[in-house]
Structures are given as structure tokens and as C-alpha cells.
Amino acid sequence: MTDAKPILEIENLSISFFTRLREIPAVMDFSCTVMPGEAMGLVGESGCGKSTVALGVMRDLGVNGRIVGGSVKFKGRDIATMSDEDLRKLRGSEIAMIYQEPMASLNPAMKVGKQLAEVPMIHKGMSRAEAMARARQMVADVRLPDPERILQAYPHQLSGGQQQRIVIAMALMSEPALLILDEPTTALDVTVEAGIVELVKELGRKYGTSMLFISHNLGLILETCDRICVMYSGEAVETGNVREVFQTMRHPYTQALFRSIPLPGADKNARPLVAIPGNFPLPHERPPGCNFGPRCDYFVKGRCDAADVRMEDAPGDRHQTRCIRHTEIDWAKPPQVAEQHAKTPIGDPVLKMVEVKKYYEVAASKLFGGGDTRVVKANETLTFDAREGETLAIVGESGCGKSTFAKVLMGLETATSGSILLYNQDIHDTPIEKRDTDTVSSVQMVFQNPFDTLNPSMTVGRQIIRALEIFGVGKSEAERRGRMLELLDLVKLPREFADRMPRQLSGGQKQRVGIARAFAGGAKVVVADEPVSALDVSVQAAVTDLLMEIQRENRTTLLFISHDLSIVRYLSDRVMVMYLGHVVELGSTDQVFSPPYHPYTEALLSAVPIADPKVKKKRILLEGDIPSAMNPPSGCPFQTRCRWKSEVPGDLCEREVPPMRTLAKGHQIKCHLSSEALARMEPVIEIAAE
């Protein structure tokens, strides 16, 4: 490898976008090198310039974007000086890109096989028969079942995970030297993500492909990449061997990123997450000197803001940092612990669900009518309670019934059968329009996407006042305005934000407004549906901390729906695992995260990427997709994907739905496995000794 030439060499790259008003510098003085067969991870918050670098490599910056300095060399050739014809030959053939949203890369009107075969036919001049044979091989390589059926299918007939595998197959059809992956797994479940990541690594080794992997998920980068480049506000601030950077980081921003994500062992009361103070600078408002200076714990006035900071060598394998103080900082010193809090005492149950079912009737051909009516079993006999001051996490893959259950609780849907007791009042068949104001204000929701939940034509203050009016809070406009300002204080937003429009707020600030609105009527139960998944890791820490603080003050019951088990482990008191409408495991966080597990919980834990090299994790890849709720398997809902099924005698798993059984106080599991088999289960996640 010593005399190998780089596949990709980016030197002092600067990219700007030009508007009528000004030049907006998006990337400045960016350098990185990718060697043959190497995977380079590019990480940083939204807006830091990761995707702009990728588009610069493809020379696909649109009409407003321009490379204004530096160079991008691919196999020694400068991409900036290539003709359009040369670029066309290069893209898709030597450099391929996989985007975040698979359907953006697939033609909905063309069969999958034809789309795959087009790539080598166009780029390699391959015959149709050869191209189809190669497509069949690639579909098998990306581990899709029944390649013949997949080749004949249209994209909409495949699941999200299958679509993303087809996009990966398409990118690799002409065996490119460089594969750029831009957040390729963000829209996928963790179990599907684990399979895709394993697949990308395996195919990279098989075809010798170099990779530029863009992600904000540090755990994913650790599992996938050899090297890492951390970006902040358009600049590379640290680069090096991925394990060295994770263990001996030498830039305050990298350190701050790690302190804002929940790693195994973090405790919400004793060791809360440390959010990065302040906000990300806008491209035309960057500070003098170090871009990270205003948010940095080690900032020294007169030094850090005196001049532009250049990359400097740090100890290690091609390890560099953009920090003039990196040799002076005590990197081993633990963070100043934020104020420690006593654990919120958990009270009596405020919400009880007993044998709740939610079925939907769907016509076989809903669009044209006719055909037999079929039933979608979205929720099957949910039974649990939630207590005052408790955080109950609800986890599971897409389609497991998490959001359906939330809609039923909110009154947006009514349950098919069973009872939902809120303070001993049964509300299972009362739609929201028939609920009294007290019930509506008692159960509120914080949604996943803060951008969709605010009215773009109404000020922030007005939206909160509107909620107060609906909940009957305050006798006059002045009283309601006073309460609105108190709610802004509660979610730690400046009071002057009352007069701002949603478009003037960042994603994290919008989510805080959503939380303020949810608590406007003094909510007792708050359903938080993936409330931080659309936010950057540094913002996630602040919003998570805020929810905890409000819960401590108001003794709120928090139902936290998420697929991110790292944040669930940090936040929750109890965890409920759902699969295909069933609750398959329920217990305290410690019980659910240590063996014995339900086989599905075991696979979920194995799939979670953890940004800590000291953590050892068992690899358990789930085969196949989650079955359809319209046509669920017989017997145990998980039996089609279960690796422990052979331990159960006969065909019991296929014949009977397992009963819910109690393993220990408060720990329930829906599984046919014997107590002896459960006792043999080993921990999925282990933290190695220092």
C-alpha cells in the first residue's frame, strides 16, 4: 500500500454558491485523501458542507455553485479541468453515488432488471444478455431473495430496505473505483441499516471499491470506515484513523460531539449529556479566526480569533487537527458535570391499556372498489400501564404498530376493542372531537418533524397562544400572552422569539416550540414520536435534556417512541418492544438491555451502531423483511426471522402465538423458548475493561 496512488485527492478545496445578494462560502480549505480500497467517513452537523464536498467531487454543483479554490483529483486527473463528455463517462462508471432517498434514484415506471442492465450497457457497451446476467448476479450479491422476481418487479413493489439494496447494486454494476454514500441508511430501520452496512463493507472488500461515506451517525462511521474526517462550518477540523480519532481526539468540536451522544453507561441523572452551547454559524456570519471559537470551552481571546487556523499534525496515522491549542489541552480531563438530579419518583399509573386491538378493513382494490375486504392487524392485544413521572419507551421497526397505538391514544383513531383508561376514564372509543377539553389537554404529542407541525404564516407566539385559547387557559389575551412567554422560558427560547416566524428558526428551535405547545394545557401524558430523530446529535442532547427537565418539574408521563436504542437506554425507565402489532417484551431498561432477551430484542440491540471502540457487540443479522400486517405469519409473529426457532420442539412456533410470561418482577416476554434456552443467552453489548 505504501507506493499506491490515491484514488481521490482533495486539496484546499473551496466551494461557494452565488446569489444575487452575495457569495456564500459553503466549503473552505478542505483537504482529504482516499487511498485504494479505503473507506473515508465524513461527519458533522447539518449545513457543515458534507454533501457539498460530495457534489464537488461529482462536479454537480448546479448553476449557482462553483469551485473557487483548490483541486479535486480522481486517479491523478483534475476533475475541474475535465470536459462535459469526460465527466459523463466518469459518473456512474468510475465514480458512483448513493443518495439518502432510494426512490429518488429509481425510475418508478421501469422494471428493476431493466434499470440495472442499463448501467453496464451505457458505460461498458455490454450486450443486453450479458448486462441482465450481471444484474442477476448483483441482486444476489446484495442478498435479495428470489432475484428473478426482483428483476421483474417495479420499484414500488419493494420495501425501503430492498429499494436501497437495488440502488447499491446499480451503483456497483460498473464496478466503480469510488463509491460516494450520502446518508444511505437514514430512512431505514436499524435492523435493515445493519444489513446494508454489512453489505456495503463486504462488497467494498469484494470489488476493492474505495468509499466516501457521509453520515451524522458516529457509530455507523466507526463500524464502516477506516478513516474519518470531521467537518464544522465548511472546514475539516480533524482527520485521521477512525479508531485513533475516537480514542485520542484532538479537536474541541470532535470532543463536544462525543459528549452530546448517549453511549452505554451514560446516566440521565448522574451523567447527563452535554449539549454544545450556542448555534451553528451561518456561512456569511462566520466568526474571525476559529469557526468553532464562540462555542468552544477552550477558547482564548486574542489567540483563537487572531487569524485563520490551518490544519496541524497531531500524533498518529495521518492525524491532523485545526486547533492551535491542541498540545495544551488536557484531553483526558472529564467534562464538568452538569447539575446532577435526583431520580424522578415514579407514582401511580395514569394510563392503562387493556387488551387493546386496532384493525383496519381495506378493500383488495381500494382504488377501484370491488374485491374481498382484507384486515390489517395494526395492534394486537396491547396491555400495559404508564405511571406518573415515568418515561416508557416504545421501540420496534417501521410497521410494528408504534404510531398506530399513538393515534389511538390521542383519539385520532378509535380502538377496535379493549379499553384505554386515562385516570380511570375509558377513552378507547372516544374520537378526539368528542373528548372534553381536559382530556385533550392532558394527552399531547410532540411530532417527529418540527418543520411540518408549525403554521408557516403565523408567529411563534401566536401559535402557542392559539393552543392556550383551545385549552381554555387564561381569562384574557394579556394573561395568555404572559403564559406564552413563560412557556418560551420553559423550553429555553428567548422571549423575543415570540415575534419570529417559523422560517427564522433552526430545526432544534422549532422542536422546542412544538414542545412548548404540547405543554400549553398542562399535559400529563406526552407522546413523543421520534422527537429528536430529525435533529443533529448536538441539538438532540439539548432537546432530550429539556424533555427530562420539564418531566422533573411537571411529573409528566412520557411515552417515548423511537428506533434509536442508544437514546432509549439513556432516557427510559421502562422499555416496551413491539413487533408486528404485538408487545413482545416489556420491562425496566436494565431488564430489557441485559439477557435473557426476546430473540427480536436481541437482534435489535445487535443492530444499533455504537460510537465507542471499547464496546464489543455480537453481530446478529435478521434475514428477510418484516412481514405484512395484512398477511401476518401463523403462530409467533417473529418465527419467520427467529434464529432461536430450532430450540423449540416441533412446530409450536408456527402453530401458536406464545403467551405473555413473567421472567422476573416487571419483566414480561412473549416467547415459546424454554427457561433453560433463555438462561443460555449471552450479552449482546459488552464494555471492554479500560
Side-chain angles (χ1 to χ4, degrees):
M1 275 293 276
T2 46
D3 53 355
K5 290 189 170 60
I7 289 287
L8 180 68
E9 223 174 339
I10 305 175
E11 280 185 36
N12 310 114
L13 178 68
S14 293
I15 297 172
S16 288
F17 290 91
F18 293 85
T19 67
R20 283 176 300 185
L21 292 176
R22 60 171 76 90
E23 174 187 350
I24 297 171
V27 173
M28 300 158 303
D29 187 32
F30 178 87
S31 300
C32 96
T33 305
V34 182
M35 300 302 286
E38 195 171 67
M40 167 69 84
L42 210 50
V43 301
E45 294 170 276
S46 304
C48 72
K50 306 186 296 287
S51 296
T52 305
V53 166
L55 294 172
V57 171
M58 299 286 279
R59 224 180 87 191
D60 184 20
L61 293 163
V63 289
N64 294 343
R66 268 210 305 278
I67 293 175
V68 292
S71 64
V72 179
K73 287 181 181 165
F74 176 74
K75 290 186 173 176
R77 294 176 67 198
D78 192 340
I79 285 178
T81 60
M82 282 187 187
S83 67
D84 288 349
E85 183 61 32
D86 285 346
L87 268 176
R88 258 196 303 277
K89 285 178 184 165
L90 190 73
R91 292 179 190 145
S93 151
E94 295 247 28
I95 304 178
M97 189 157 174
I98 296 169
Y99 295 91
Q100 185 170 342
E101 178 47 64
M103 274 308 280
S105 309
L106 296 171
N107 183 336
M110 195 188 279
K111 286 182 179 175
V112 165
K114 194 173 176 189
Q115 294 191 55
L116 287 170
E118 265 191 348
V119 180
M121 285 165 71
I122 291 168
H123 291 292
K124 293 264 199 294
M126 212 178 258
S127 72
R128 181 171 173 75
E130 279 181 296
M132 282 306 285
R134 177 146 176 73
R136 200 170 289 107
Q137 177 59 47
M138 279 308 308
V139 170
D141 276 357
V142 297
R143 295 206 289 269
L144 280 170
D146 193 357
E148 282 303 329
R149 182 184 67 79
I150 296 283
L151 291 175
Q152 292 302 313
Y154 287 96
H156 72 269
Q157 294 172 309
L158 308 179
S159 70
Q162 289 175 332
Q163 287 170 3
Q164 193 62 290
R165 283 167 192 251
I166 291 300
V167 171
I168 291 169
M170 194 183 290
L172 293 169
M173 279 295 283
S174 58
E175 297 185 17
L178 177 67
L179 186 59
I180 301 172
L181 302 102
D182 191 357
E183 301 271 16
T185 59
T186 306
L188 305 176
D189 281 309
V190 281
T191 48
V192 181
E193 177 181 79
I196 298 272
V197 166
E198 201 63 29
L199 174 72
V200 165
K201 279 158 56 180
E202 193 182 295
L203 294 174
R205 284 192 295 269
K206 179 174 178 178
Y207 293 105
T209 311
S210 301
M211 286 188 274
L212 191 61
F213 197 114
I214 297 170
S215 181
H216 65 269
N217 186 329
L218 291 161
L220 211 54
I221 293 294
L222 177 62
E223 289 189 4
T224 322
C225 299
D226 309 300
R227 297 184 61 74
I228 186 174
C229 178
V230 182
M231 287 189 76
Y232 180 79
S233 190
E235 295 177 326
V237 294
E238 185 163 13
T239 183
N241 173 290
V242 70
R243 289 188 168 265
E244 272 181 6
V245 170
F246 274 51
Q247 288 172 315
T248 57
M249 55 200 70
R250 288 294 176 267
H251 194 280
Y253 175 60
T254 313
Q255 185 187 60
L257 269 185
F258 275 86
R259 286 178 175 174
S260 65
I261 57 175
L263 296 173
D267 182 297
K268 66 180 177 184
N269 297 308
R271 281 170 50 204
L273 300 181
V274 183
I276 303 175
N279 289 316
F280 198 76
L282 293 170
H284 55 283
E285 292 175 358
R286 289 186 176 111
C290 174
N291 278 344
F292 188 59
R295 306 174 74 187
C296 181
D297 290 340
Y298 309 107
F299 179 78
V300 176
K301 199 167 172 54
R303 278 184 68 196
C304 298
D305 55 0
D308 285 349
V309 183
R310 298 269 163 225
M311 290 293 263
E312 295 181 9
D313 288 335
D317 169 26
R318 291 184 281 156
H319 191 173
Q320 289 191 308
T321 176
R322 197 181 291 270
C323 176
I324 57 170
R325 297 200 60 214
H326 70 95
T327 55
E328 307 162 22
I329 294 168
D330 180 1
W331 296 100
K333 186 181 173 186
Q336 278 190 316
V337 178
E339 184 190 345
Q340 289 196 8
H341 300 283
K343 194 173 184 304
T344 308
I346 291 171
D348 296 327
V350 295
L351 173 73
K352 285 185 184 175
M353 284 203 170
V354 183
E355 300 281 321
V356 171
K357 293 184 181 182
K358 177 59 185 172
Y359 293 175
Y360 295 95
E361 286 195 355
V362 181
S365 174
K366 189 125 190 232
L367 191 60
F368 304 108
D372 296 332
T373 300
R374 301 179 73 181
V375 173
V376 176
K377 298 179 176 182
N379 286 154
E380 279 278 17
T381 57
L382 299 187
T383 300
F384 68 93
D385 59 24
R387 298 155 195 167
E388 185 184 46
E390 167 180 67
T391 302
L392 173 65
I394 297 133
V395 300
E397 293 169 285
S398 305
C400 73
K402 306 187 299 282
S403 295
T404 302
F405 136 75
K407 286 177 187 168
V408 169
L409 177 58
M410 296 295 297
L412 301 172
E413 302 273 1
T414 53
T416 305
S417 66
S419 58
I420 302 173
L421 301 170
L422 181 68
Y423 293 106
N424 293 322
Q425 179 191 348
D426 195 345
I427 55 170
H428 85 276
D429 58 354
T430 315
I432 194 161
E433 60 272 17
K434 291 190 179 164
R435 291 185 179 181
D436 58 46
T437 307
D438 274 358
T439 306
V440 172
S441 62
S442 292
V443 185
Q444 283 294 299
M445 195 155 178
V446 178
F447 294 91
Q448 180 171 354
N449 195 337
F451 305 92
D452 293 343
T453 55
L454 298 178
N455 185 332
S457 60
M458 207 184 266
T459 64
V460 164
R462 187 69 228 147
Q463 304 202 38
I464 297 172
I465 288 171
R466 181 89 188 89
L468 292 168
E469 285 170 355
I470 291 167
F471 297 144
V473 175
K475 295 189 179 70
S476 64
E477 187 67 17
E479 263 187 49
R480 282 191 283 271
R481 183 163 178 83
R483 177 67 185 139
M484 177 269 291
L485 294 172
E486 285 171 13
L487 284 163
L488 287 180
D489 295 342
L490 180 75
V491 297
K492 295 185 168 54
L493 283 177
R495 288 188 165 201
E496 55 267 26
F497 274 38
D499 300 318
R500 290 198 181 179
M501 303 302 281
R503 66 173 182 275
Q504 295 171 292
L505 272 57
S506 69
Q509 289 166 343
K510 284 179 186 166
Q511 193 59 293
R512 284 164 187 260
V513 176
I515 293 168
R517 206 170 49 177
F519 282 91
K524 297 288 184 284
V525 178
V526 170
V527 182
D529 189 0
E530 302 269 15
V532 294
S533 64
L535 307 175
D536 280 311
V537 283
S538 56
V539 184
Q540 273 185 17
V543 171
T544 304
D545 209 38
L546 172 70
L547 279 169
M548 292 296 93
E549 194 174 314
I550 293 173
Q551 182 182 47
R552 278 191 296 272
E553 284 178 20
N554 298 356
R555 297 190 49 71
T556 315
T557 302
L558 192 62
L559 300 179
F560 192 86
I561 297 173
S562 181
H563 67 267
D564 183 344
L565 288 179
S566 302
I567 209 134
V568 162
R569 184 175 199 162
Y570 169 74
L571 267 186
S572 57
D573 301 302
R574 285 193 304 147
V575 180
M576 181 165 96
V577 183
M578 290 185 71
Y579 184 81
L580 207 61
H582 293 257
V583 175
V584 295
E585 186 164 5
L586 176 64
S588 72
T589 308
D590 288 342
Q591 287 170 335
V592 171
F593 277 78
S594 51
Y597 313 102
H598 185 280
Y600 177 57
T601 309
E602 182 189 46
L604 270 186
L605 291 173
S606 160
V608 180
I610 297 170
D612 188 345
K614 295 193 292 294
V615 169
K616 286 187 174 172
K617 204 171 64 165
K618 260 169 85 174
R619 300 296 290 150
I620 301 162
L621 288 178
L622 281 183
E623 295 297 323
D625 290 315
I626 190 165
S628 163
M630 199 181 286
N631 188 22
S634 59
C636 171
F638 188 58
Q639 53 100 352
T640 56
R641 301 166 83 193
C642 181
R643 77 188 191 104
W644 288 84
K645 187 175 160 185
S646 59
E647 296 269 342
V648 178
D651 59 354
L652 184 62
C653 293
E654 286 151 37
R655 281 188 294 106
E656 288 180 30
V657 175
M660 194 60 131
R661 54 200 260 226
T662 301
L663 299 182
K665 191 181 177 196
H667 189 196
Q668 296 177 302
I669 187 171
K670 191 180 270 192
C671 186
H672 285 305
L673 278 174
S674 66
S675 301
E676 295 76 41
L678 289 168
R680 288 202 310 274
M681 282 192 172
E682 296 170 348
V684 172
I685 297 167
E686 289 187 276
I687 302 170
E690 292 280 346

